Structures are given as structure tokens and as C-alpha cells.
């Protein structure tokens, strides 16, 4: 019999029962946020209490103000946004959910705080009420996003009906070249293999490049798995994982830690494990990537040229390119590095961890912001760490705005918006039409590339800044 | 939840691929609670209305008769990709949509449709194209989605069979929500959990010291 994959091992150990081709899967951790109010209403409707409330964690992030938190929730001016924040406090208090809320010293984005707190662990099944829950797969877990009804279902039963996904392994090989980051790798993967490469699949990232990555970098890669249409992304746990986790508040302690470690070491895919599909990407030739279109697969090296609809392989693609160019107001044949921009956003669950702050600060020392540039750390803990290292000072000296933690311009729910039609370089994960504000034009890039664009006012190859 | 068994209704052909949930419900409307009357305007809001909610004089299909009364959408591939927001489905339901036929769906969105009693139907590229072709030629034509027989009947009478997972299908047919279904298995869950936590005690949430 062939060996098992990382995915197989975790899945098989979480099957409660199987009925007519659907599997009832046990969920070890559930992450929710202010948008999850429908889940609480469901519980009320069926008159149920959360089944394992200690396995549910709440976060204030999507609606958090990032300009200032002075005045607490009552100080939030927009009545509807204030209502969402209040409701989260009320719901989590009523049902007894641990909430990293508005006033918590460790408040932050639901994909940034759990790793910091040791809530994300190898071998678990973790669900979150946000599609980028795949982030936590960086720890060697099955982690995926669910809708509000599914969150409510998990709260009521701690389980979820699922169909077993097929598996795909992407081997990322080679050392990261100068100026190339985890963000470029995942944009490269999506641009290379297409936004549909992983439809509904469990994608394991492996290979020498992944092995040499820090946890922060691995999280960036897994975060955007969902943009390759994957159901989840995952990376085998190793010493890097254990070192990162050791001593975090919710990580196992003492003999439990030893037991856990012994188990975690059995999780990586067996040598003879068989995946439904395998692909390889060599990163040594990779150049910093930026998106030009309206989905994350429409990405090019910064040295590239805006494509023409004539290059399309079929009628569908032709139309797709035409529509995207029209929306993004770009001409075929333009160099990527000629595109002038109006805003920069450094933040979101893809790139708002301490290493991202450091990478952006490094570039910020080389000039002054030419356009409005925001830096939004992913959590209060990232913010404290960055301030301890003096990064906030570097940003403000360069004319970047240093803000409070939250999702902010990633999804523009909290009132942070681009002005109508503005063109923005963003370190977030989605460049869909209007996501950052009405008619907003988003170019996705790494934090270093975003900072480079900030100080030149156009898309810029960060490698040329020395 | 209302059961979905068989529906014959006006179907709207929608040619675009990769329709993301942000178009179905622009982010700023995520706050609207289910039942809010404005939800009726939210589906494709920014193509149908100006920012102030004034109707745009566009040719956008969902602004045109008879498609304001459409209950079925025939789309292309990758319908409902992107954000997991369930508000996309609330907006579709508020508009009156009860079924979407497409070549493929965003994973989470597919589940969200069913959880709200809307019937997602996967058909081949050719079948979707054929259906859209007939609908374009014959504005306001109706289509039948028969979940009992698992087939779609085109305006010209052609029948296309589709598949759905038996359990999901049963929930839709009976209008039963998942929680009611799962609570029948509570004993299995308890037995599983007891063993899971005794074999691997570190899987339990460890309260910080
Ligand atoms: S930062 Fe963006 S993608 Fe991440 S959780 Fe917030 S809204 Fe979702």
C-alpha cells in the first residue's frame, strides 16, 4: 500500500462518520470575526449553545478603525460600523467565546493572531469564517475557510460535512533570489499554473525553497492558496515550525509538548505517498511580481510588458484580457514599470507580520513617500514589536502613515477606502474590481515592492534601488 | 429553509466567467442583515445602480425586462469565486434567484447556495452554452430545474442531467438545514471526540497560564 500524505494523515484522524459520500469531519478550532453574526443568530434560532465553546475564537479585524482607536467602540463615528463592533462584543460575551476584541492587547487579524498565540498547530483541523484561513496550513494543519452558515454549524456541533478533496503537491525548488519574496513565489505559482490550478484541492507546498522559509513566509504562501482555487494549502511541520511555536500562550506545555512533538513528527507525507497531481516551480529565475489585471493570476514580472488581447489562447481569455485592461485603464505594450500609482497599502493577512514590516522599512529608508502610503500592522503584537525595533519611526520619517491593526484597505469594510478610481499598490491578496473601493485599481505586490512604489510613485523593481 | 424540488421560471443568461462574490455583493453591503429591504438591490449593485442607489441606464441584463423577474441564472465557469461572504447569496435570494446553472462554482459559494436553499447545478460547458444560446434567442424563455429527477429542461425541451451529492440533495429537497441533520449524529461525535482527546490530549485547547 502506498504511503500517506500529510493531508491524508490529518483527514483520516478527523473522520467522525461517513454518510452517502459525505464525511462528517471534527473541527479542532474555529475562528470567527465581526461578520459572523449570522452564525450566532443560527444558534439562537435552533436554541443551542456552542458545543465546545473553548474551541471557538473571536477577532475584531474586518471593521476595526485603523486611524485611531481612541474613545473605544463609542468613539467609532460610522453608526453601522460601530454596530458591527458592538454586536461582536455582545455575541461573544453572551455565548462565552474568547474574543480578541477591540480592547484586547493582542487584537488583530484572524489569520495573524492565532499563529502568534499558538492557536494554529500541526495536525489539527481549523476552520475560519474567512476564505484566507488556508494561512494556518503553514503549520501543517488542515485549514480552510467556511461561510457564516457553516460557522454556525460548527459552533453547534464542532463538526462539518465535507467531501474529501483530491491532493496536489507543488514542489518549489531553489534559493530565493535577491529582492524576491514569498509573495512573489505564490504570485508566480498562480501566474504560471493559472487561477484554476487547485480547484477544490488540498495543496501541499514542498521543496527546498519552502523548507528554507520562515513561518512568516510560509504563511504568505498558504494564505494565497485560495487564489489558486485551492480548498486549502499546507506545509509539513519541521523544526522551523516547532521553534516558532515553542512557548506561545496556547501551545502545549511540559510533557504535553513532548507528546505533541512526537506526534507532529509523524505527520509529514511519507516518501512513497502518492498525490493526485504534482507540479514543480523553479524559483531561481523568478523576478519580483506585480498583478496588472483583476484577478491574482493576472500577474507579471515587474520587467514584463502589459499583454495584448491578441496573445490570448482562446476567445474566453481574449475577452477576459480586454475587460481587465479596460477596467485597469492600461494599454497593451506598456512596460509594467511605467505604471504610475496614487496610493500604497502595506498590510492584510498576507503581508502584515513583523518580517513584512521589516522588509518594507528597509526600502523606506531609501527615500520619501511620493503618494499616500499606509502601513497597517496585522496585530497589536506586530505593532509593539515593530515599534520596539524603531520601524514606526522609519516609516513616519519616510512620510508613510503608521496605523492601527486591522484588515483596513484589504477589503474596505471598516470605512478605509480608496478614492473613486484610485490606483493602488497593495500587499493584500485580491485585486478584484472594486475591492478596495469603487472603481479602485489594485496592483498586488510584496511589501518591499509596495514600499519601492511608494517612494517612486510608480511600479518599481525594488532590486534597482540597491 | 424552503424545500427546493422543481422550479420552472424565467432564466437569465450570463456570459461572463469568473464572477466573484464581490460583484454579487460589494463589500460595503456585507453589513446589511438578512431581511433588509435594500438587499434586493445588492446583487451586481455597482453595475445596476450608482453609488447613491440610483438606477443606472445601462444595458446590464439584470436591469432589463423580463430579467428583473428571473429566478434562474445560466452562467459560465467559476461562478461565485472569491470571498466566502454569504451575503452574496442573501443578495441573490433577495433578488429572487432560486437556482444557478454553471460549468463550475467557487467552492465556498457552492456550499453557501445550498445552505440557503438555492439550487446550484453543474452542467458541461456545451450544455451551458446551449442553454444560454437558447435564452439569448428567446428572451424571457423559461427553464425547468428538477431536483427530484436531477435534470434541467431547456426551452426547446432538451433535457440535461446533472449530479449532486445525495446528502446535500436530500437536505435541499427536504428544506432541512445541516444542523438538524448533524444533531442526529451527536452520539458519534461524542464517541469520536472522547477518543480523539484521550489519544491526543494536546489537541484540546490549552488555556494559557
Ligand atoms: S486582511 Fe483581507 S483577506 Fe485577510 S482576513 Fe482581513 S479581509 Fe480577509
Amino acid at each position: 500500500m502506498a504511503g500517506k500524505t500529510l493531508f491524508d494523515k490529518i483527514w483520516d484522524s478527523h473522520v467522525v462518520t461517513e454518510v452517502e459520500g459525505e464525511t462528517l469531519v471534527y473541527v479542532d478550532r474555529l475562528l470567527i470575526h465581526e461578520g459572523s453574526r449570522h452564525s450566532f443568530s443560527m444558534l439562537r434560532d435552533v436554541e443551542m449553545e456552542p458545543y465546545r465553546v473553548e474551541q471557538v475564537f473571536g477577532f475584531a479585524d474586518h471593521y476595526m478603525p485603523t486611524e485611531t482607536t481612541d474613545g473605544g467602540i463609542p468613539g467609532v463615528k460610522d453608526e453601522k460600523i460601530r454596530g458591527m463592533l458592538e454586536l461582536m462584543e455582545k455575541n461573544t460575551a453572551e455565548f462565552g467565546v474568547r474574543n480578541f476584541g477591540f480592547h484586547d492587547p493582542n487584537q488583530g487579524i484572524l489569520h495573524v493572531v492565532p499563529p502568534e498565540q499558538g492557536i494554529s498547530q500541526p495536525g489539527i483541523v481549523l476552520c475560519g469564517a474567512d476564505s484566507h484561513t488556508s494561512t494556518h496550513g503553514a503549520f501543517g494543519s488542515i485549514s480552510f475557510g467556511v461561510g457564516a452558515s457553516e460557522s454556525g454549524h460548527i459552533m453547534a456541533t464542532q463538526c462539518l460535512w465535507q467531501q474529501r478533496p483530491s491532493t496536489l503537491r507543488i514542489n518549489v525548488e531553489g534559493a530565493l533570489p535577491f529582492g524576491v519574496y514569498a509573495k512573489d513565489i505564490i504570485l508566480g505559482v498562480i501566474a504560471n499554473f493559472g487561477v484554476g490550478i487547485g480547484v477544490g484541492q488540498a495543496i501541499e507546498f514542498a521543496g527546498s525553497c519552502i523548507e528554507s522559509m520562515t513561518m512568516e513566509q510560509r504563511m504568505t504562501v498558504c494564505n494565497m492558496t485560495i487564489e489558486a482555487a485551492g480548498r486549502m494549502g499546507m506545509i509539513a511541520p519541521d523544526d522551523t515550525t516547532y521553534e516558532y511555536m515553542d512557548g506561545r500562550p496556547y501551545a502545549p506545555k511540559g510533557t504535553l509538548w513532548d507528546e505533541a512533538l512526537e506526534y507532529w513528527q509523524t505527520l509529514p507525507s511519507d516518501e512513497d505517498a502518492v498525490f493526485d497531481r504534482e507540479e514543480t516551480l523553479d524559483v531561481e529565475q523568478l523576478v519580483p511580481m506585480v498583478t496588472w489585471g483583476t484577478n491574482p493570476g493576472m500577474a507579471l514580472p515587474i520587467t514584463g510588458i502589459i499583454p495584448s488581447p491578441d496573445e490570448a489562447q482562446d476567445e474566453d481569455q481574449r475577452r477576459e484580457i480586454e475587460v481587465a485592461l479596460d477596467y485597469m485603464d492600461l494599454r497593451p505594450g506598456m512596460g509594467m514599470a511605467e505604471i504610475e500609482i496614487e496610493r500604497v497599502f502595506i498590510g492584510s493577512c498576507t503581508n502584515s507580520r513583523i518580517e513584512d514590516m521589516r522588509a518594507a522599512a528597509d526600502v523606506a529608508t531609501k527615500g520619501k513617500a511620493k503618494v499616500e502610503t499606509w502601513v497597517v500592522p496585522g496585530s497589536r503584537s506586530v505593532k509593539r514589536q515593530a515599534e520596539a525595533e524603531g520601524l514606526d519611526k522609519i516609516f513616519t520619517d519616510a512620510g508613510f502613515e503608521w496605523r492601527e491593526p486591522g484588515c483596513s484597505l484589504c477589503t474596505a469594510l471598516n470605512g478605509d477606502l480608496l478614492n473613486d478610481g484610485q490606483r493602488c499598490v497593495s500587499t493584500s491578496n485580491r485585486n478584484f474590481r472594486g475591492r478596495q473601493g469603487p472603481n479602485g485599481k489594485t496592483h498586488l505586490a510584496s511589501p518591499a515592492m509596495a514600499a519601492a512604489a511608494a517612494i517612486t510613485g510608480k511600479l518599481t523593481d525594488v532590486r534597482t534601488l540597491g | 429553509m424552503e424545500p427546493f424540488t422543481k422550479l420552472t421560471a424565467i432564466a437569465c443568461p450570463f456570459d461572463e466567467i469568473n464572477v466573484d462574490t464581490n460583484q454579487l455583493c460589494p463589500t460595503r453591503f456585507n453589513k446589511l442583515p438578512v431581511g433588509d429591504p435594500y438587499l434586493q438591490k445588492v446583487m451586481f449593485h455597482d453595475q445596476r445602480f450608482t453609488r447613491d442607489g440610483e438606477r443606472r441606464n445601462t444595458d446590464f441584463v439584470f436591469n432589463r425586462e423580463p430579467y428583473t423577474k428571473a429566478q434562474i441564472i445560466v452562467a459560465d465557469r467559476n461562478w461565485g469565486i472569491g470571498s466566502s461572504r454569504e451575503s452574496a447569496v442573501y443578495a441573490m435570494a433577495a433578488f429572487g434567484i432560486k437556482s444557478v446553472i454553471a460549468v463550475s462554482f467557487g467552492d465556498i459559494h457552492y456550499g453557501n447556495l445550498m445552505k440557503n436553499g438555492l439550487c446550484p447545478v453543474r452542467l458541461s460547458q456545451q450544455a451551458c452554452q446551449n442553454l444560454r444560446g437558447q435564452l439569448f434567442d428567446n428572451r424571457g424563455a423559461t427553464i425547468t430545474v428538477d431536483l427530484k429527477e436531477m435534470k434541467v429542461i431547456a426551452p426547446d425541451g432538451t433535457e440535461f442531467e446533472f449530479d449532486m451529492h445525495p446528502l446535500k440533495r436530500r437536505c435541499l429537497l427536504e428544506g432541512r438545514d445541516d444542523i438538524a441533520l448533524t444533531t442526529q449524529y451527536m452520539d458519534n461525535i461524542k464517541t469520536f471526540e472522547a477518543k480523539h482527546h484521550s489519544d491526543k490530549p494536546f489537541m484540546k485547547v490549552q488555556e494559557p497560564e
Side-chain angles (χ1 to χ4, degrees):
Chain A
M1 212 177 84
K4 285 178 150 195
T5 65
L6 167 64
F7 169 81
D8 296 332
K9 293 179 194 183
I10 305 175
W11 177 274
D12 292 347
S13 66
H14 284 80
V15 174
V16 173
T17 184
E18 274 161 338
V19 181
E20 297 174 35
E22 293 263 333
T23 307
L24 190 62
V25 174
Y26 187 80
V27 178
D28 298 296
R29 308 282 185 273
L30 173 69
L31 315 177
I32 57 172
H33 55 85
E34 311 97 306
S36 305
R37 61 166 171 200
H38 175 68
S39 316
F40 289 103
S41 314
M42 278 172 72
L43 284 184
R44 285 193 195 97
D45 286 349
V46 294
E47 296 179 7
M48 284 173 81
E49 293 288 318
Y51 173 61
R52 285 285 173 254
V53 74
E54 69 276 15
Q55 291 176 206
V56 184
F57 296 88
F59 301 87
D61 50 11
H62 286 65
Y63 291 86
M64 279 300 286
T66 63
E67 191 177 357
T68 172
T69 50
D70 290 353
I73 296 181
V76 176
K77 280 184 227 92
D78 185 296
E79 187 192 332
K80 289 212 176 89
I81 293 172
R82 191 171 65 238
M84 292 301 282
L85 291 161
E86 279 166 355
L87 196 56
M88 182 65 181
E89 298 281 319
K90 185 177 151 284
N91 279 333
T92 50
E94 180 182 331
F95 288 93
V97 173
R98 168 72 173 97
N99 183 27
F100 291 88
F102 195 103
H103 303 287
D104 194 279
N106 293 310
Q107 170 268 334
I109 305 177
L110 82 165
H111 308 315
V112 176
V113 178
E116 294 170 351
Q117 292 291 317
I119 294 168
S120 320
Q121 295 178 9
I124 61 172
V125 171
L126 179 152
C127 293
D130 179 279
S131 32
H132 295 90
T133 305
S134 55
T135 310
H136 310 270
F139 287 81
S141 62
I142 290 185
S143 294
F144 55 93
V146 295
S149 292
E150 289 177 319
S151 299
H153 182 273
I154 297 172
M155 278 206 252
T157 64
Q158 209 55 45
C159 288
L160 194 63
W161 293 99
Q162 287 286 298
Q163 281 159 249
R164 189 187 187 108
S166 57
T167 53
L168 161 66
R169 178 158 65 186
I170 302 183
N171 300 295
V172 184
E173 304 290 353
L176 277 181
F178 168 71
V180 175
Y181 296 82
K183 181 65 157 283
D184 303 303
I185 292 194
I186 189 65
L187 284 173
V189 164
I190 302 168
N192 246 280
F193 301 120
V195 271
I197 185 198
V199 176
Q201 289 186 305
I203 306 182
E204 178 175 341
F205 294 94
S208 56
C209 180
I210 301 288
E211 283 164 25
S212 66
M213 281 184 173
T214 63
M215 287 316 293
E216 266 102 344
Q217 293 170 324
R218 293 178 188 183
M219 285 188 249
T220 301
V221 171
C222 287
N223 175 277
M224 286 191 69
T225 314
I226 182 87
E227 310 310 336
R231 184 88 177 103
M232 61 194 76
M234 55 203 315
I235 292 172
D238 60 10
D239 289 344
T240 307
T241 321
Y242 313 138
E243 271 160 38
Y244 178 96
M245 290 182 62
D246 195 5
R248 303 217 171 234
Y250 283 87
K253 304 271 164 15
T255 52
L256 269 189
W257 171 266
D258 299 337
E259 270 179 60
L261 196 59
E262 204 178 308
Y263 173 67
W264 294 340
Q265 283 163 343
T266 68
L267 289 172
S269 295
D270 298 331
E271 294 241 345
D272 56 344
V274 180
F275 291 79
D276 295 301
R277 180 176 168 191
E278 283 208 57
E279 294 289 348
T280 298
L281 181 80
D282 190 345
V283 299
E284 310 237 330
Q285 304 305 319
L286 208 65
V287 165
M289 302 287 291
V290 188
T291 62
W292 59 268
T294 50
N295 74 49
M298 294 172 156
L300 280 172
I302 179 68
T303 49
I305 303 287
I306 299 288
S308 151
D310 297 338
E311 294 162 29
Q313 276 151 18
D314 55 43
E315 210 26 59
D316 271 0
Q317 205 191 19
R318 184 188 178 85
R319 211 174 57 205
E320 226 179 332
I321 297 177
E322 272 169 4
V323 172
L325 287 178
D326 179 56
Y327 181 83
M328 293 296 290
D329 197 11
L330 295 171
R331 279 174 292 107
M334 263 175 104
M336 288 289 279
E338 291 166 37
I339 300 172
E340 300 202 349
I341 54 137
E342 295 160 290
R343 288 282 286 270
V344 173
F345 169 61
I346 298 168
S348 92
C349 60
T350 316
N351 282 125
S352 63
R353 301 184 179 83
I354 188 67
E355 279 187 22
D356 301 313
M357 300 291 115
R358 289 182 194 136
D362 212 32
V363 178
T365 57
K366 299 177 191 189
K368 291 263 182 290
K370 285 226 169 58
V371 298
E372 187 175 348
T373 299
W374 290 7
V375 187
V376 182
S379 69
R380 291 202 174 126
S381 140
V382 171
K383 186 164 193 254
R384 279 193 298 272
Q385 174 74 23
E387 287 174 359
E389 295 179 20
L391 306 183
D392 57 324
K393 184 85 175 44
I394 296 179
F395 288 129
T396 47
D397 284 351
F400 293 22
E401 216 176 290
W402 178 241
R403 296 174 72 99
E404 300 295 327
C407 295
S408 183
L409 263 177
C410 171
T411 186
L413 271 171
N414 68 335
D416 294 347
L417 277 179
L418 297 182
N419 297 340
D420 203 334
Q422 268 185 329
R423 187 183 296 280
C424 179
V425 178
S426 174
T427 65
S428 55
N429 42 47
R430 285 188 170 146
N431 49 345
F432 296 152
R433 291 182 233 177
R435 179 163 168 106
Q436 297 192 291
N439 304 311
K441 303 177 185 72
T442 303
H443 295 276
L444 303 176
S446 75
M449 286 289 285
I455 60 177
T456 60
K458 58 188 185 113
L459 296 185
T460 298
D461 189 341
V462 64
R463 299 172 305 173
T464 62
L465 298 177
Chain B
M1 202 168 92
E2 295 248 320
F4 185 102
T5 48
K6 182 175 173 182
L7 167 75
T8 301
I10 294 178
C12 178
F14 199 76
D15 253 349
E16 214 173 296
I17 57 173
N18 298 333
V19 172
D20 60 71
T21 50
N22 201 49
Q23 293 176 58
L24 295 172
C25 175
T27 308
R28 59 187 188 280
F29 298 118
N30 277 3
K31 303 187 233 11
L32 293 181
V34 181
D36 190 299
Y38 199 86
L39 262 180
Q40 290 166 9
K41 295 173 80 170
V42 169
M43 183 179 84
F44 292 111
H45 184 279
D46 294 352
Q47 274 116 301
R48 291 164 60 209
F49 302 99
T50 65
R51 216 165 142 68
D52 307 321
E54 296 294 317
R55 183 179 273 259
R56 284 184 197 272
N57 270 334
T58 62
D59 287 343
F60 191 68
V61 284
F62 289 102
N63 267 0
R64 292 194 325 214
E65 298 305 338
Y67 296 125
T68 56
K69 293 189 271 306
Q71 293 185 303
I72 300 171
I73 297 174
V74 183
D76 201 309
R77 60 188 157 86
N78 287 337
W79 175 273
I81 54 168
S83 157
S84 60
R85 68 188 61 174
E86 206 158 306
S87 43
V89 177
Y90 309 152
M92 291 166 66
F95 184 91
I97 302 299
K98 296 206 160 65
S99 176
V100 184
I101 301 168
V103 181
S104 55
F105 291 82
D107 241 13
I108 303 178
H109 181 72
Y110 184 85
N112 285 344
L113 286 168
M114 279 189 295
K115 296 210 157 54
N116 290 279
L118 279 72
C119 182
V121 175
R122 285 197 195 101
L123 288 182
S124 70
Q125 185 104 31
Q126 289 96 318
C128 287
Q129 229 163 34
N130 178 314
L131 284 171
R132 290 199 309 272
Q134 293 194 40
L135 295 169
F136 280 123
D137 293 344
N138 199 346
R139 278 175 74 94
T142 62
I143 278 184
T144 298
V145 177
D146 188 340
L147 184 58
K148 272 221 166 95
E149 301 292 327
M150 292 205 276
K151 63 187 182 193
V152 171
I153 308 169
D156 71 356
T158 317
E159 297 189 355
F160 298 99
E161 291 187 4
F162 64 90
D163 249 349
M164 186 180 285
H165 250 262
L167 194 67
K168 298 263 158 79
R169 176 165 162 263
R170 188 143 61 87
C171 286
L172 263 181
L173 284 172
E174 294 172 9
R176 178 153 49 164
D177 67 67
D178 280 9
I179 293 185
L181 175 79
T182 310
T183 45
Q184 298 173 355
Y185 298 95
M186 228 49 216
D187 286 344
N188 301 55
I189 297 174
K190 291 203 166 111
T191 312
F192 171 88
E193 188 181 52
K195 185 161 180 344
H196 185 57
H197 284 161
S198 74
D199 288 356
K200 306 186 192 83
F202 46 86
M203 289 262 178
K204 272 185 153 166
V205 171
Q206 315 293 324
E207 286 305 323
E209 280 141 24

